[in-house]
Amino acid sequence: MVRTRRIAAAIAAAALLPAAAALFTSSQATAQTSDEIQDEIDAQHSELEKVIEDYNAKQEELEDANQLIADIQAQLPALEAAGLAAQDRMAQIAATAYAGGDFAMVNSVLAGDPSDFADRLMYLSTLSEADSVTLQDSLTQIEELETRQAELVALQESADEILAEIEAQQDEIEDEIDALEAEYDDVVREEYQEEWGDYTGDSAVVAFAYDQLGDDYVYGADGPDTWDCSGLTQGAWGAAGVSLSHNTEMQWNETARISRSELQPGDLVFYNGLSHVAIYIGDGQIIHAPNSTTVVKIADLDIMGIDGYGRP
């Protein structure tokens, strides 16, 4: 009983907490730079962690409640049998009272409103001591069973309501973060493209690569909005009508060797034991998809050890 009340109190207290939705209203982000949007994303993640921890705490409370419910359900057969036996004993007392002229008093004890339970027990003092004890035990047993069942039902309903609210709050925050991250990607792309300007050359390969500036690196990705190194070079040359495999070493074998002095925009530059490949764009620069910590970007040609150069 104490444990039931502890859990019920904890869930009731949680219900009084300010709704997380009020804390996480739509930002309608007006950030002008990627850094400002990143700050908003970090702040939202911080708030989301609070919601998730509230969710976890309520899950723990619910586990306790469910265990308690299981315990009571295991006891119910015995309690119900005891309740039926108690009813039989009360019927016997009522029959005896009827024979003795006290039926009206006993009937009022048995038929009274449950809220008058304490008052009804006072009437038992007029019965014989043995009958009074028997009837009081029976009524108490039935009353306790009904009370605990009601507490457990209320507890389960409260727990379900709280968990549903927290799940809704979590979904709302995750949706907001997704929107912010999408905006972040758009702003980063715009910033990179503004920084490096528009491509004015006539290489379809380089033009395609410019359009991907600011896109995320994702291992194994080959577009349209995420890339790894060989996926980007494959996509860029695909835009020019040339088919390349999605693998750096295979692309090495699919291209003709050229010298550094022969490099032209669109040629491929191979690095690091044929584990990385980039697109030469002229003026000693490349466009490449470096790794998962950054995005498709422009870099100096000599960013790492060069294995060689290739032209499809």
Side-chain angles (χ1 to χ4, degrees):
M1 183 73 71
V2 173
R3 191 180 182 205
T4 305
R5 289 170 181 159
R6 175 180 65 80
I7 300 170
I11 291 180
L16 299 177
L17 292 174
L23 297 175
F24 311 135
T25 55
S26 175
S27 65
Q28 297 178 343
T30 59
Q32 299 301 310
T33 69
S34 58
D35 287 342
E36 290 171 341
I37 295 179
Q38 184 62 59
D39 289 342
E40 287 196 53
I41 292 173
D42 292 343
Q44 290 286 33
H45 272 295
S46 178
E47 296 299 336
L48 178 58
E49 287 179 347
K50 297 176 184 178
V51 174
I52 291 174
E53 286 309 306
D54 278 344
Y55 177 89
N56 292 340
K58 300 294 105 48
Q59 285 283 19
E60 293 291 334
E61 298 291 351
L62 184 59
E63 287 181 10
D64 283 349
N66 286 336
Q67 182 59 54
L68 196 55
I69 290 171
D71 291 344
I72 293 300
Q73 288 175 335
Q75 299 169 8
L76 279 180
L79 290 173
E80 290 171 349
L84 290 174
Q87 291 175 1
D88 289 341
R89 290 194 298 272
M90 288 189 293
Q92 292 173 3
I93 292 173
T96 302
Y98 177 78
D102 295 323
F103 177 75
M105 178 275 296
V106 173
N107 189 55
S108 69
V109 172
L110 300 180
D113 189 279
S115 63
D116 300 326
F117 182 64
D119 292 336
R120 287 187 286 138
L121 291 180
M122 294 179 60
Y123 288 108
L124 300 179
S125 61
T126 62
L127 294 174
S128 68
E129 182 176 352
D131 286 347
S132 176
V133 170
T134 299
L135 188 55
Q136 182 172 343
D137 287 345
S138 299
L139 289 171
T140 299
Q141 195 169 35
I142 293 172
E143 190 81 8
E144 181 178 0
L145 176 60
E146 292 175 350
T147 299
R148 294 196 70 186
Q149 287 175 325
E151 286 177 347
L152 290 172
V153 169
L155 175 61
Q156 185 69 67
E157 291 175 351
S158 298
D160 290 345
E161 181 179 348
I162 293 297
L163 288 175
E165 180 181 352
I166 290 174
E167 287 172 345
Q169 293 163 2
Q170 181 175 335
D171 290 342
E172 181 178 344
I173 299 306
E174 289 175 341
D175 288 344
E176 175 121 358
I177 288 174
D178 288 343
L180 284 169
E181 288 178 340
E183 182 173 354
Y184 175 83
D185 290 342
D186 290 341
V187 171
V188 167
R189 186 178 296 107
E190 290 172 4
E191 288 176 349
Y192 269 87
Q193 292 174 347
E194 287 175 4
E195 179 181 353
W196 297 104
D198 294 328
Y199 177 65
T200 57
D202 57 4
S203 169
V205 175
V206 176
F208 180 92
Y210 257 80
D211 287 342
Q212 315 316 313
L213 287 173
D215 280 358
D216 287 332
Y217 175 99
V218 174
Y219 176 77
D222 56 3
D225 300 313
T226 58
W227 311 89
D228 67 5
C229 67
S230 59
L232 178 63
T233 53
Q234 179 193 48
W237 271 98
V242 177
S243 177
L244 292 177
S245 300
H246 186 178
N247 175 267
T248 302
E249 188 169 352
M250 290 180 180
Q251 289 181 9
W252 172 269
N253 293 327
E254 293 166 348
T255 56
R257 302 284 69 75
I258 59 175
S259 68
R260 185 181 182 111
S261 62
E262 294 175 311
L263 277 173
Q264 295 178 5
D267 287 338
L268 302 184
V269 185
F270 296 88
Y271 298 90
N272 198 27
L274 299 184
S275 65
H276 189 66
V277 62
I279 300 165
Y280 183 68
I281 63 173
D283 297 325
Q285 293 180 321
I286 59 169
I287 289 179
H288 69 146
N291 55 63
S292 60
T293 65
T294 185
V295 294
V296 174
K297 60 171 57 177
I298 292 176
D300 290 335
L301 175 62
D302 295 302
I303 54 170
M304 64 182 83
I306 297 176
D307 297 321
Y309 313 93
R311 182 175 297 162

